[in-house]
Amino acid sequence: MSKEIRLNAFTINSPGHLSAGLWRHPEDQSHRYTDLRYWVELASTLERGLFDGVFIADVLGVYDVYGRSPDAALLNAAQVPINDPLQLVSAMAAATRHLGFGVTASVSFEHPYPFARRMSTADHLSGGRIGWNIVTSYLESGARNLGQAAQLTHNNRYELADEYLEVCYKLWEGSWERGAVKRDAERSMYVDPRQVHEIGHEGKFFTVPGFHLSEPSPQRTPVLFQAGASARGKQFAARHGECIFVAAPTRAILRSQVASLRAETVRQGRRADDILVFNQITVVLAPTDGEARAKFDDYRRHISRDGSLTLMSGWTGIDLSGFDPEQTLEHVESNAIQSAVEAFTTADPGRTWTVNEIADYCGIGGDGPVIVGSPATVADALQAWIEETDADGFNIAAVVNPGSFTDITDLLVPELQRRGVYKRAYREGTLREKLFGREAGLAESHYGSRFRI
Amino acid sequence: MSKEIRLNAFTINSPGHLSAGLWRHPEDQSHRYTDLRYWVELASTLERGLFDGVFIADVLGVYDVYGRSPDAALLNAAQVPINDPLQLVSAMAAATRHLGFGVTASVSFEHPYPFARRMSTADHLSGGRIGWNIVTSYLESGARNLGQAAQLTHNNRYELADEYLEVCYKLWEGSWERGAVKRDAERSMYVDPRQVHEIGHEGKFFTVPGFHLSEPSPQRTPVLFQAGASARGKQFAARHGECIFVAAPTRAILRSQVASLRAETVRQGRRADDILVFNQITVVLAPTDGEARAKFDDYRRHISRDGSLTLMSGWTGIDLSGFDPEQTLEHVESNAIQSAVEAFTTADPGRTWTVNEIADYCGIGGDGPVIVGSPATVADALQAWIEETDADGFNIAAVVNPGSFTDITDLLVPELQRRGVYKRAYREGTLREKLFGREAGLAESHYGSRFRI
């Protein structure tokens, strides 16, 4: 049988995510993001489609590089306004039984002592369905608003992130023994204090002497998601990550990224299949190829050029408002721009990429690939992506909400199931058990398990 | 008509709250605190009983004064283990339409920039039903685990709290103009940037230059709850608080506290009825007085003496394990102990209070009064408390969960309604509109409204 394909829904607690300007499409309901019913309905749709999880992006700050102002971000709802992702979980968890929840949080937002309690709480309330997308950086404007003059340097950032994770592992894995909670009325012992241990952490960035405030949750450590791209980032991902997000524009690039991630994972003493790799992707579905193409063309007419360049400027740190729209970018001295141009060029080697063309390309689904077609066409493409790259699945962004996800559940999933490459039911157990078919907690080979008592 | 009586349910995301040891009672289900269904059922019970809100206490730290160790707290589930209160809200909000949610958070847990976004998110998702219980201090062990050597001094703490509130007001009231969100596809304008303002805050404790990340929520500023007891605390409460929690053991003490709080509120340029005062109370209900008394005696047999003294030691900062159980405390040199002894003595002037008697008294409902009887007896008492003290209602703690709240909804509320002192339906609108019958947002006379644009 062909390799199973896994699907994650990629969303954000904001009216705008990766398809800039699509809030103007008449079918889009993203503005309902402040309404709990919107999220509960979305969770039900995704669980009906047997998605492994819904993954909620977050930024704490504003995309203010483009035009050196936040105006374009506000005009185009480029990930602003944006609300706290974590609070969506309990309402969605109450309405579902299996769907996982990936929550984005930067190690710079909050001290690890209260943060570890937030994650344990979410894991308890969802019955062990929580993932944490570990972000090591954030927007410069976020740093300023937290009263920090500038972000840490790149390497320092990972040093801090490593210590942050260490504190979390000690709290989650090394503080409460399994069975510490007795609830023994006869002996008048709710918790046996001999089985709860202070972590005594004294590091460079954090001092946490005490024990964890939460009793052990079903997974203890949430499933760890990571998306590191640099060499140092890849090392961090291979040490901590269990699900790795990438955004490769072509199969060749993805194949090489997956191979290098698995090799780094093995170098860290883990098994190559201890990580699952998800590629960011956008799909446009309709019953026939022609209808799907027409739908895509309609979507493209709603792209906001400024919104797209606002996101791109934020990601690369280069103000793209300063360039002639018809200018190509080969000669811009920016690593980020060059790697973007390289990715675009690889995606479509026949083209030169002007600023306007980049805006157009990124207008649907940001910097990830877009697949357009009938369920059979899209299924063919997804199978080819998985078979040729050794990736495990896709992190699917919507063009319109919740329409893109409804299309996947109603049109694509049945087709993938017919082909035997998609599950027909969820596994029982925690999110980690569903994803890896092994234990509820961290694998023995995972770095975090060395903090286990 | 007699004055309306308001009820709040007082709970905590932990198996133990104010009635130490009662987790051992066969009817208690507090251990289900990690199960979302427990909270959804509780919310439904409270909304059926037309409670104004459910108020969730929190401590970030452990009661480790008693015996200079956290052991007694763990053995007796004295507010440990304890999970994040905020995440309970969205699931309970999805299952109800009117119930309010008071969430406890200390100004020392988190930076105000992300905290303000959390509250706005909760207010959005609940449709304007959020309150914030502003805590200015926390347990010493919490401070240590946040890497702080010692807590700020008392007055500095309030200085920091005042600035924290100022940052929040600027974000909630002074950043986004009403109507800044246009969602105008024709003009391609989701938000009008001219109507979003950076707050430019530079203070002693915080620097926050940017604008709020969340669009205005129904209430903008959540309903502000406060429980300040000292002179400086009372001033803080009278400036910021809209609902004030007190825990007066007698009507005479409550009357004097309410009068002084209203006077201080007027001194701050607000109206005396701009605040609602809720007294912490515990009720034990059964169809007849005799049955209620038997129920109370049964509850008392489940009190944990150590658990009760663990809480008391934490509140006063005095290790009560060092005293002879039969010793009285008049001569202990501690303001906190003396004010506790004074309160107990006032509550029952004929008694001397030994350590054991204090443990017993505080074993049900902590340091608040307990009323035991049939619905008619309890209603008589509650009416007398309200009429004699000018307080507005009660913050009711459970003895057993959810039984104490089910009893109130099923037995007490119908009796209060028959007497015309309890609402028969919720008002429409936000929590603030339900509580005060006025505007959805902060009153003009409230200090926070001066930051409004």
Side-chain angles (χ1 to χ4, degrees):
Chain A
M1 180 186 118
S2 302
K3 189 170 171 183
E4 180 182 356
I5 297 176
R6 299 195 157 277
L7 299 184
N8 243 311
F10 191 25
T11 186
I12 193 167
N13 197 356
S14 166
H17 187 198
L18 291 170
S19 292
L22 267 291
W23 62 267
R24 298 174 302 178
H25 194 282
E27 281 168 24
D28 186 62
Q29 298 182 31
S30 300
H31 63 276
R32 290 180 57 213
Y33 77 103
T34 57
D35 180 351
L36 268 179
R37 286 167 299 185
Y38 169 82
W39 294 103
V40 167
E41 287 160 20
L42 177 64
S44 303
T45 299
L46 297 175
E47 183 152 285
R48 190 159 54 80
L50 305 176
F51 278 71
D52 284 310
V54 53
F55 174 80
I56 312 164
D58 191 25
V59 289
L60 194 77
V62 185
Y63 287 84
D64 56 5
V65 173
Y66 187 71
R68 297 175 201 287
S69 146
D71 287 5
L74 288 163
L75 282 164
N76 296 287
Q79 305 188 5
V80 67
I82 185 164
N83 282 343
D84 178 21
L86 181 58
Q87 293 176 64
L88 301 176
V89 171
S90 78
M92 291 197 286
T96 54
R97 227 170 72 79
H98 294 288
L99 187 69
F101 304 97
V103 176
T104 300
S106 166
V107 297
S108 310
F109 291 179
E110 186 173 32
H111 190 282
Y113 178 66
F115 176 76
R117 187 176 74 140
R118 285 201 208 273
M119 286 290 108
S120 295
T121 302
D123 200 48
H124 275 298
L125 295 177
S126 65
R129 293 189 272 151
I130 287 296
W132 169 28
N133 179 38
I134 311 164
V135 173
T136 56
S137 62
Y138 50 114
L139 298 172
E140 196 66 42
S141 72
R144 284 196 305 273
N145 284 301
L146 288 167
Q148 297 159 8
Q151 293 199 47
L152 294 167
T153 64
H154 187 73
N155 281 337
N156 253 348
R157 222 165 67 195
Y158 279 103
E159 199 187 339
L160 180 142
D162 271 322
E163 190 185 326
Y164 194 100
L165 268 288
E166 191 180 321
V167 174
C168 289
Y169 293 136
K170 287 174 174 173
L171 292 167
W172 288 327
E173 302 287 336
S175 183
W176 292 60
E177 291 179 34
R178 183 192 303 267
V181 177
K182 306 294 183 195
R183 210 160 72 75
D184 183 339
E186 295 293 311
R187 286 192 295 162
S188 203
M189 180 186 279
Y190 198 92
V191 177
D192 184 346
R194 292 165 303 187
Q195 294 185 264
V196 179
H197 307 281
E198 300 193 331
I199 68 167
H201 179 85
E202 283 186 44
K204 181 172 168 184
F205 301 95
F206 304 107
T207 301
V208 183
F211 57 76
H212 193 32
L213 291 172
S214 302
E215 62 178 283
S217 67
Q219 301 186 115
R220 287 181 173 256
T221 297
V223 175
L224 298 175
F225 291 68
Q226 231 280 313
S230 66
R232 184 66 182 85
K234 220 173 269 177
Q235 199 188 329
F236 183 87
R239 167 179 284 185
H240 301 288
E242 301 176 88
C243 295
I244 315 290
F245 289 139
V246 293
T250 70
R251 299 174 201 175
I253 293 175
L254 181 59
R255 183 167 55 237
S256 130
Q257 288 187 352
V258 172
S260 118
L261 278 164
R262 295 211 196 276
E264 184 62 39
T265 303
V266 170
R267 251 195 301 281
Q268 302 268 350
R270 304 168 68 191
R271 291 161 31 172
D273 65 352
D274 276 353
I275 58 167
L276 297 175
V277 184
F278 293 84
N279 197 40
Q280 182 186 310
I281 206 165
T282 303
V283 299
V284 178
L285 283 154
T288 66
D289 284 345
E291 288 165 294
R293 176 58 55 183
K295 201 163 168 176
F296 184 50
D297 290 341
D298 175 44
Y299 288 158
R300 282 163 54 97
R301 279 190 292 275
H302 290 82
I303 292 174
S304 159
R305 178 187 174 279
D306 277 349
S308 178
L309 293 176
T310 298
L311 293 174
M312 198 64 190
S313 297
W315 296 329
T316 60
I318 302 293
D319 177 7
L320 292 169
S321 76
F323 295 90
D324 183 316
E326 298 308 325
Q327 184 180 345
T328 58
L329 297 176
E330 302 90 293
H331 307 299
V332 178
E333 285 185 20
S334 150
N335 286 339
I337 288 284
Q338 283 319 313
S339 74
V341 166
E342 192 187 320
F344 296 136
T345 308
T346 323
D348 190 351
R351 282 174 76 170
T352 58
W353 288 86
T354 65
V355 171
N356 264 351
E357 285 167 337
I358 288 178
D360 193 52
Y361 178 85
C362 293
I364 302 289
D367 50 353
V370 182
I371 299 176
V372 179
S374 68
T377 301
V378 173
D380 283 347
L382 296 188
Q383 280 191 273
W385 274 81
I386 294 298
E387 279 162 21
E388 292 175 27
T389 65
D390 193 28
D392 300 282
F394 300 96
N395 199 28
I396 305 195
V399 185
V400 294
N401 274 301
S404 297
F405 295 122
T406 314
D407 285 348
I408 292 167
T409 290
D410 292 338
L411 300 176
L412 179 62
V413 164
E415 177 67 25
L416 293 174
Q417 286 173 325
R418 265 192 296 276
R419 296 172 179 219
V421 295
Y422 196 78
K423 59 181 157 319
R424 291 187 171 270
Y426 284 106
R427 269 194 202 117
E428 288 300 316
T430 64
L431 176 60
R432 187 176 279 110
E433 287 168 280
K434 287 177 167 59
L435 288 170
F436 293 94
R438 301 203 292 265
E439 54 277 87
L442 279 179
E444 278 303 321
S445 53
H446 189 281
Y447 176 78
S449 73
R450 68 185 64 177
F451 300 97
R452 197 175 281 162
I453 42 164
Chain B
M1 182 185 113
S2 301
K3 189 170 170 180
E4 180 181 355
I5 297 177
R6 299 194 158 277
L7 300 183
N8 243 309
F10 191 24
T11 186
I12 193 167
N13 196 355
S14 166
H17 188 198
L18 291 170
S19 293
L22 268 290
W23 62 267
R24 298 174 302 179
H25 193 282
E27 281 169 24
D28 185 61
Q29 298 183 30
S30 300
H31 64 276
R32 290 181 59 213
Y33 77 101
T34 58
D35 180 350
L36 268 180
R37 286 167 300 187
Y38 169 81
W39 293 104
V40 167
E41 288 160 20
L42 177 64
S44 303
T45 299
L46 297 175
E47 182 152 286
R48 190 158 54 79
L50 306 177
F51 279 71
D52 284 309
V54 52
F55 174 80
I56 312 164
D58 191 25
V59 289
L60 195 78
V62 184
Y63 287 84
D64 56 5
V65 173
Y66 187 71
R68 295 175 202 289
S69 147
D71 288 5
L74 287 163
L75 281 164
N76 296 287
Q79 305 188 5
V80 66
I82 184 162
N83 283 343
D84 178 22
L86 181 58
Q87 293 176 63
L88 302 176
V89 170
S90 78
M92 291 198 285
T96 53
R97 230 171 69 81
H98 294 287
L99 187 68
F101 304 98
V103 175
T104 300
S106 165
V107 296
S108 310
F109 291 179
E110 186 174 31
H111 190 282
Y113 179 66
F115 175 75
R117 187 176 73 140
R118 286 201 207 274
M119 287 289 109
S120 295
T121 301
D123 201 48
H124 275 299
L125 294 177
S126 65
R129 293 189 272 152
I130 288 296
W132 169 28
N133 179 37
I134 312 163
V135 173
T136 56
S137 62
Y138 49 116
L139 297 171
E140 196 66 41
S141 72
R144 285 196 305 272
N145 284 301
L146 289 167
Q148 297 158 7
Q151 295 199 47
L152 295 167
T153 63
H154 186 74
N155 281 337
N156 255 346
R157 223 165 66 198
Y158 279 103
E159 198 187 340
L160 180 142
D162 271 322
E163 191 184 326
Y164 194 101
L165 267 288
E166 190 179 321
V167 174
C168 288
Y169 293 137
K170 287 175 175 172
L171 292 167
W172 289 327
E173 303 286 336
S175 183
W176 292 60
E177 291 180 32
R178 183 191 302 266
V181 177
K182 305 294 183 197
R183 210 159 71 74
D184 182 339
E186 295 292 312
R187 286 191 295 163
S188 203
M189 180 185 278
Y190 198 92
V191 177
D192 185 346
R194 292 164 302 187
Q195 294 185 264
V196 178
H197 307 280
E198 301 192 330
I199 67 167
H201 179 86
E202 282 186 46
K204 180 171 171 184
F205 301 95
F206 305 106
T207 301
V208 183
F211 56 77
H212 193 32
L213 290 171
S214 302
E215 62 179 282
S217 67
Q219 300 187 114
R220 288 183 174 256
T221 296
V223 175
L224 299 174
F225 291 67
Q226 231 280 316
S230 67
R232 183 65 181 86
K234 218 172 272 176
Q235 199 188 328
F236 183 87
R239 168 180 284 184
H240 301 289
E242 300 176 270
C243 295
I244 315 291
F245 288 140
V246 293
T250 68
R251 300 176 201 173
I253 293 175
L254 181 58
R255 183 167 55 236
S256 129
Q257 288 186 352
V258 173
S260 117
L261 278 163
R262 295 210 196 275
E264 184 63 39
T265 304
V266 170
R267 251 194 302 281
Q268 302 268 349
R270 304 169 67 192
R271 290 159 33 171
D273 64 354
D274 277 351
I275 57 167
L276 297 175
V277 184
F278 292 84
N279 197 41
Q280 183 187 309
I281 207 166
T282 303
V283 299
V284 178
L285 282 154
T288 66
D289 283 345
E291 288 165 295
R293 175 60 54 182
K295 200 164 170 176
F296 183 51
D297 290 342
D298 175 45
Y299 288 157
R300 282 164 55 98
R301 280 190 292 274
H302 290 83
I303 290 174
S304 159
R305 176 187 175 279
D306 276 350
S308 178
L309 293 176
T310 298
L311 294 174
M312 198 64 190
S313 296
W315 295 329
T316 59
I318 301 292
D319 176 7
L320 293 169
S321 76
F323 294 90
D324 183 318
E326 299 307 325
Q327 184 180 344
T328 58
L329 297 175
E330 302 90 293
H331 307 298
V332 178
E333 285 186 19
S334 150
N335 286 338
I337 288 284
Q338 282 320 312
S339 75
V341 167
E342 192 186 320
F344 296 136
T345 308
T346 323
D348 189 352
R351 281 173 77 171
T352 58
W353 288 85
T354 65
V355 171
N356 264 350
E357 285 168 337
I358 287 177
D360 192 54
Y361 178 84
C362 292
I364 302 289
D367 50 353
V370 183
I371 299 176
V372 180
S374 69
T377 301
V378 173
D380 283 346
L382 296 188
Q383 280 192 273
W385 274 80
I386 294 297
E387 279 162 20
E388 291 175 27
T389 64
D390 194 27
D392 300 281
F394 300 96
N395 198 29
I396 305 197
V399 184
V400 294
N401 273 301
S404 297
F405 294 122
T406 314
D407 285 348
I408 293 167
T409 290
D410 293 338
L411 301 175
L412 179 61
V413 164
E415 177 69 26
L416 294 174
Q417 287 173 325
R418 266 192 296 276
R419 295 172 181 219
V421 294
Y422 196 78
K423 59 180 154 323
R424 292 186 171 271
Y426 284 106
R427 270 195 200 118
E428 288 301 316
T430 64
L431 176 59
R432 187 176 279 111
E433 287 169 282
K434 287 177 168 58
L435 288 170
F436 294 93
R438 302 202 291 264
E439 53 278 88
L442 280 179
E444 278 303 321
S445 52
H446 189 281
Y447 176 76
S449 73
R450 68 185 64 177
F451 300 96
R452 196 174 283 162
I453 44 165

